[in-house]
């Protein structure tokens, strides 16, 4: 059965694309990076700062939210946007990855995955239907099908088993989503590990089922970048041009630029906030480790040309002090600086694609990283 399309492709430069995805809570400009608010909060960043960085859309996690505070409770309080005060576009993942990576005990059957909560050990069952029900209770603009993600490397038989199960769960997820109001979206997730023919089979099966958008899942789980990019090259040419494409859980700035060059529209990753909490900051000079003692007496900002106030406004010496002192403000500032850099990277990509200069943009960004940070005189 055909499904409505809410994505408008505005321009292309080679395989790189720029467009707009219209959701019930606003428009998402693509390519887009979605900051990850796992449990309904960004670690160390206020929602108003997330908006000010230029983010159009954020991600919430079904697994964590269904366990605490509970999907039914969030629904009674007006849904996830009202609950968090974000009030903008939001995507929720299905929880499948977290079940596989966090649950203490889990059992996968055709019907569902049963697991023990990492919080209190309570037995929980997550079926495709329940995953969709939870996401509808949360009120997310974009829901994801339940899938089974396999960590790489893995045996081909295991990859194929999980891929086939994910296809059957995709069909059930779509049926469960049929009562959603117009404008809300469900994305299918292509699996298949690092096996090209399985990736193609999964992708074509999802297209036959029909979704509002398509995600590439099961990557950034231990494989080298070249494997990830090779799998994108298998999947992207098969996907409908008029539908959005989402690479799940990726990644580094270089990962994102390379994926955009291969036709990907949307990304999410915990890296900006996680790395910020550990003293690592992303800039146009590359990654700077503020734990390094050489920053202790450096009065320069991280980047005097940055448009983000914290990047250009605080000295490296002060940020180094906050990190070494384990002050909460240090983690907060570096997290927001990293999210702002990711948004700036995507904004630049959108402008470059529209102008037909994406290859030049990518080369310029990478040249800045290669030059690195200039030490103080």
């Amino acid at each position: 059965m055909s499904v409505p399309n809410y994505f408008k492709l505005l321009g292309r430069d080679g395989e790189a694309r720029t467009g707009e995805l219209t959701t019930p809570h606003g428009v998402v400009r693509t390519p887009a990076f979605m900051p990850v608010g796992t449990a309904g909060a960004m670690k160390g960043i206020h929602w108003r700062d997330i908006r000010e960085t230029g983010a159009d859309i954020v991600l919430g996690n079904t697994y964590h939210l269904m366990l605490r505070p509970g999907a039914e409770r969030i629904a009674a309080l007006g849904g996830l946007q009202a609950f968090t005060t974000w009030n903008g576009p939001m995507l929720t993942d299905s929880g499948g990855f977290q079940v596989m990576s966090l649950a203490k005990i889990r059992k996968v059957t055709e019907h569902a995955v049963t697991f023990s909560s990492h919080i209190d050990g309570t037995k929980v069952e997550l079926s495709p239907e329940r995953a969709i029900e939870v996401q509808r209770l949360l009120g997310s603009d974009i829901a994801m099908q339940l899938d089974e993600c396999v960590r790489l490397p893995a045996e081909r038989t295991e990859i194929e088993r999980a891929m086939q199960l994910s296809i059957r769960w995709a069909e059930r997820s779509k049926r469960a989503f049929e009562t959603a109001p117009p404008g809300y979206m469900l994305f299918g997730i292509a699996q298949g590990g690092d096996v090209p023919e399985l990736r193609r089979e999964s992708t074509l099966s999802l297209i036959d089922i029909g979704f509002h958008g398509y995600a590439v899942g099961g990557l950034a789980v231990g494989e080298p970048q070249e494997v990830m990019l090779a799998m994108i090259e298998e999947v992207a040419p098969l996907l409908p041009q008029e539908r959005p494409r989402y690479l799940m859980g990726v990644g580094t700035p270089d990962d994102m630029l390379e994926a955009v060059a291969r036709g990907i529209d949307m990304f999410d990753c915990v890296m900006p906030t996680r790395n910020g909490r550990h003293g690592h900051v992303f800039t146009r000079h590359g990654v700077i480790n503020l734990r390094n003692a050489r920053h202790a007496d450096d009065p320069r900002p991280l980047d005097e040309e940055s448009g983000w106030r914290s990047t250009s406004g605080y000295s490296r010496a002060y940020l180094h002090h906050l990190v070494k002192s384990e002050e909460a403000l240090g983690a907060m500032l570096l997290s927001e600086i990293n999210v702002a850099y990711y948004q700036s990277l995507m904004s630049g990509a959108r402008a470059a694609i529209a102008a037909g200069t994406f290859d030049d943009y990518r080369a310029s960004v990478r040249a800045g990283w290669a030059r690195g940070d200039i030490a103080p005189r």
Side-chain angles (χ1 to χ4, degrees):
M1 183 179 69
S2 63
V3 294
N5 183 36
Y6 303 108
F7 180 68
K8 182 178 181 181
L9 188 61
L10 299 178
R12 292 184 57 174
D13 185 7
E15 294 303 313
R17 299 143 48 95
T18 185
E20 291 181 346
L21 181 62
T22 300
T23 80
H25 288 88
V27 173
V28 179
R29 300 163 295 176
T30 64
F33 175 76
M34 298 181 283
V36 178
T38 301
M42 299 289 161
K43 290 187 184 297
I45 312 180
H46 196 285
W47 286 108
R48 62 174 175 264
D49 293 326
I50 291 293
R51 176 67 79 185
E52 289 180 13
T53 66
D56 291 334
I57 182 171
V58 300
L59 183 145
N61 182 263
T62 293
Y63 170 88
H64 289 278
L65 292 167
M66 70 182 285
L67 296 181
R68 186 171 56 195
E72 284 76 10
R73 177 172 289 155
I74 291 174
L77 292 167
L80 196 52
Q81 279 92 343
F83 186 57
T84 61
T85 74
W86 165 249
N87 292 323
M90 186 175 288
L91 179 147
T92 47
D93 61 18
S94 68
F97 177 81
Q98 284 71 28
V99 169
M100 303 307 157
S101 62
L102 295 179
K104 299 172 185 175
I105 302 173
R106 56 188 176 269
K107 179 180 179 182
V108 180
T109 67
E110 184 69 31
H111 172 68
V113 56
T114 304
F115 61 94
S116 296
S117 165
H118 74 286
I119 297 172
D120 59 10
T122 302
K123 294 289 185 183
V124 182
E125 181 181 272
L126 186 63
S127 66
E129 292 79 12
R130 176 56 177 165
I132 296 301
E133 179 185 26
V134 169
Q135 292 178 86
R136 291 303 313 127
L137 287 167
L138 297 176
S140 56
D141 300 81
I142 302 171
M144 305 300 298
Q145 70 150 106
L146 183 63
D147 63 332
E148 183 181 359
C149 181
V150 175
R151 287 194 177 276
L152 299 177
E155 295 294 329
R156 178 185 171 122
T157 54
E158 176 64 7
I159 295 171
E160 184 167 13
R161 181 202 60 77
M163 183 272 289
Q164 294 289 357
L165 178 63
S166 294
I167 291 172
R168 295 191 294 274
W169 282 1
E171 294 173 330
R172 290 168 57 187
S173 295
K174 183 180 178 182
R175 287 196 295 272
F177 194 79
E178 287 176 354
T179 58
Y184 290 86
M185 288 169 262
L186 176 66
F187 283 20
I189 305 174
Q191 289 289 350
D194 55 0
V195 184
E197 54 268 33
L198 296 182
R199 283 283 173 183
R200 293 192 294 269
E201 180 181 348
S202 175
T203 302
L204 292 173
S205 296
L206 292 176
I207 294 169
D208 285 343
I209 297 169
F211 290 91
H212 298 97
Y214 297 89
V216 183
L219 295 174
V221 289
E223 80 287 352
Q225 186 195 55
E226 58 266 25
V227 172
M228 178 189 75
L229 297 178
M231 294 305 100
I232 295 171
E233 290 171 359
E234 293 292 338
V235 171
L238 302 176
L239 293 173
Q241 289 291 324
E242 72 280 6
R243 302 283 169 163
R245 304 159 176 187
Y246 166 29
L247 180 59
M248 303 183 74
V250 175
T252 68
D254 189 57
D255 286 342
M256 292 193 298
L257 285 183
E258 291 301 311
V260 167
R262 289 161 174 80
I264 298 297
D265 304 310
M266 300 168 66
F267 305 90
D268 81 278
C269 191
V270 298
M271 189 171 289
T273 50
R274 177 179 290 170
N275 284 29
R277 295 195 303 276
H278 290 89
H280 293 83
V281 63
F282 294 96
T283 76
R284 64 186 175 95
H285 307 297
V287 180
I288 298 174
N289 181 3
L290 282 164
R291 291 187 174 276
N292 195 305
R294 75 184 183 92
H295 301 295
D297 297 304
D298 192 341
R300 298 176 303 156
L302 289 167
D303 181 0
E304 67 281 357
E305 297 182 15
S306 172
W308 184 248
R309 57 183 180 267
S310 299
T311 311
S312 59
Y314 290 98
S315 72
R316 298 171 188 226
Y318 180 57
L319 295 172
H320 168 80
H321 160 69
L322 293 177
V323 169
K324 294 297 286 185
S325 301
E326 298 185 351
E327 288 287 345
L329 181 59
M332 293 166 63
L333 289 174
L334 297 193
S335 295
E336 71 171 58
I337 287 168
N338 285 345
V339 172
Y341 178 74
Y342 271 54
Q343 296 302 334
S344 175
L345 191 70
M346 292 294 97
S347 176
R350 292 192 295 267
I353 295 167
T357 59
F358 179 74
D359 285 344
D360 292 340
Y361 173 73
R362 178 171 50 157
S364 174
V365 170
R366 298 180 81 173
W369 298 336
R371 284 193 299 272
D373 192 28
I374 301 172
R377 295 175 182 175

